[in-house]
Amino acid sequence: MQHPDTSQRFMIDNSAIRGEWCLLESTFQTVMAKHDYPLEIQNLLGEMMAAAVMLSSTLKFEGRLTLQARSKGPLEFATVECTHDKHLRAVARWKGDIEGFNFSQLMESAQLAITIEPTKGASYQGVVALEHDNLSQCLEFYFKQSEQIETRIWLNQGTGKAAGLMIQVLPFNATDSATAGRSEADQAEDWNRAVALADTLTAEEHLSISAEDLLYRLYHEENVRIFPAQPIDFKCTCSRERMSKALISVGIEELNRILSEQELISITCEFCNTSHNFDKVDVPMLFEPTNPDNDEHTH
Ligand SMILES: [Zn+2]
């Protein structure tokens, strides 16, 4: 049986069009079960999760992609992280009553940061103002501006699932063997047709059918090559070691002061709700020179 949460890459033969598809169910539901999110935030996080999966699929190296939206409006932040092997985690925080709020109302003076952190090498961050009516349009604008790649993105969520579809057309290249014999005008026509067909997709179809069925439904007159499905899972990267490092940076005096008032220092990971507890025995041990998490003594 196919893993329910998957992403798949595809290409339309004899054209410069490539695409990504994804469907999230258990991963989406796991994230939603961590906090009591209003529907408006669930929808936003679902769309951001599908987008992060598809964007991470375009990376050509191992690492992590993060989408983080921050606004001066009711949405304080929404963060989604997806690794190259499709481990995903997400969290959002909002304030006030946001019932019935649309994207623009949530995103007053908002920005979206797209951060790419290769396992090896320097990180890269692009920022786009969230000034369009929805996340898809903001990301399409980002690709056009920063990467000069014509991109269309469809994001849907509902019935405990989130789904994404993205198509991109590579810049025209007369010597590209994959599009041999196609002129620039042909390529523009291919693109307009691919977009028009994808625009006929309903949210209900998008959330219920497999990549194969969806691509057949849209592009059965073309030759579509579909690449193997990649499973997607919820996985948090928090650990006691990371929390230890955070505590060490606070300093022993402050930690001792807190422990004089309470039994435990408890740090809860916002992504997975796991609590990491440190008591009067644990805290001094953090500062022992033999503690591998304690970098302080090496400086
Ligand atoms: Zn965690």
Side-chain angles (χ1 to χ4, degrees):
M1 203 185 96
Q2 200 185 20
H3 188 287
D5 290 30
T6 47
S7 73
Q8 271 178 277
R9 163 168 296 196
F10 61 91
M11 290 173 97
I12 299 178
D13 272 351
N14 302 319
S15 82
I17 299 169
R18 61 188 185 185
E20 303 286 342
W21 166 95
C22 73
L23 186 62
L24 298 162
E25 185 168 6
S26 66
T27 312
F28 175 83
Q29 290 176 8
T30 302
V31 167
M32 296 312 146
K34 301 291 177 195
H35 298 278
D36 191 14
Y37 289 121
L39 188 63
E40 293 74 8
I41 298 289
Q42 291 188 27
N43 292 345
L44 174 71
L45 265 184
E47 292 198 355
M48 284 179 69
M49 285 164 68
V53 167
M54 295 192 296
L55 264 55
S56 74
S57 298
T58 66
L59 300 181
K60 291 174 182 68
F61 46 78
E62 294 191 355
R64 180 170 68 174
L65 180 137
T66 304
L67 292 182
Q68 185 172 62
R70 284 185 178 277
S71 90
K72 292 194 166 69
L75 180 85
E76 292 187 12
F77 70 84
T79 303
V80 179
E81 292 177 5
C82 187
T83 63
H84 66 277
D85 48 1
K86 302 284 174 279
H87 292 147
L88 193 142
R89 63 177 193 166
V91 68
R93 201 189 293 156
W94 73 100
K95 55 180 183 245
D97 181 6
I98 56 167
E99 195 181 335
F101 276 33
N102 64 24
F103 183 79
S104 305
Q105 290 168 312
L106 286 173
M107 294 292 182
E108 192 190 319
S109 307
Q111 286 195 324
L112 179 75
I114 301 165
T115 310
I116 294 162
E117 296 163 278
T119 311
K120 293 178 192 137
S123 300
Y124 163 81
Q125 189 175 68
V127 177
V128 61
L130 291 170
E131 287 170 341
H132 294 86
D133 291 343
N134 57 51
L135 182 63
S136 302
Q137 286 175 12
C138 296
L139 289 169
E140 289 163 3
F141 177 75
Y142 168 79
F143 273 107
K144 195 167 182 133
Q145 275 244 311
S146 70
E147 321 234 338
Q148 282 83 48
I149 299 177
E150 201 69 56
T151 304
R152 287 295 309 273
I153 297 174
W154 291 264
L155 299 168
N156 283 297
Q157 25 56 41
T159 62
K161 296 180 197 172
L165 177 70
M166 174 167 91
I167 55 173
Q168 294 187 309
V169 63
L170 301 175
F172 179 71
N173 178 350
T175 59
D176 186 351
S177 59
T179 54
R182 308 288 288 162
S183 68
E184 195 165 1
D186 290 338
Q187 186 167 312
E189 205 182 302
D190 291 344
W191 174 246
N192 290 337
R193 179 178 154 77
V195 170
L197 288 168
D199 266 337
T200 66
L201 186 68
T202 66
E204 194 185 350
E205 283 175 313
H206 198 185
L207 291 163
S208 62
I209 62 178
S210 67
E212 284 81 3
D213 289 348
L214 182 146
L215 293 169
Y216 180 79
R217 144 92 171 77
L218 297 180
Y219 301 126
H220 57 92
E221 285 179 24
E222 353 276 324
N223 255 342
V224 179
R225 243 185 307 159
I226 310 177
F227 291 79
Q230 267 198 294
I232 306 160
D233 283 308
F234 175 85
K235 190 174 179 187
C236 194
T237 48
C238 73
S239 65
R240 190 167 174 89
E241 287 67 36
R242 283 185 180 211
M243 299 299 182
S244 298
K245 285 195 168 132
L247 284 184
I248 289 166
S249 71
V250 171
I252 186 107
E253 289 83 15
E254 178 62 12
L255 298 179
N256 281 337
R257 193 194 61 73
I258 299 168
L259 282 175
S260 70
E261 292 168 3
Q262 59 195 53
E263 284 286 298
L264 282 174
I265 295 175
S266 183
I267 311 178
T268 303
C269 171
E270 283 191 287
F271 288 98
C272 69
N273 277 347
T274 303
S275 288
H276 302 268
N277 296 325
F278 297 83
D279 64 13
K280 289 187 172 72
V281 176
D282 300 322
V283 165
M285 281 168 66
L286 294 176
F287 293 88
E288 291 286 329
T290 50
N291 176 15
D293 301 323
N294 181 9
D295 302 327
E296 303 287 295
H297 64 280
T298 59
H299 295 299

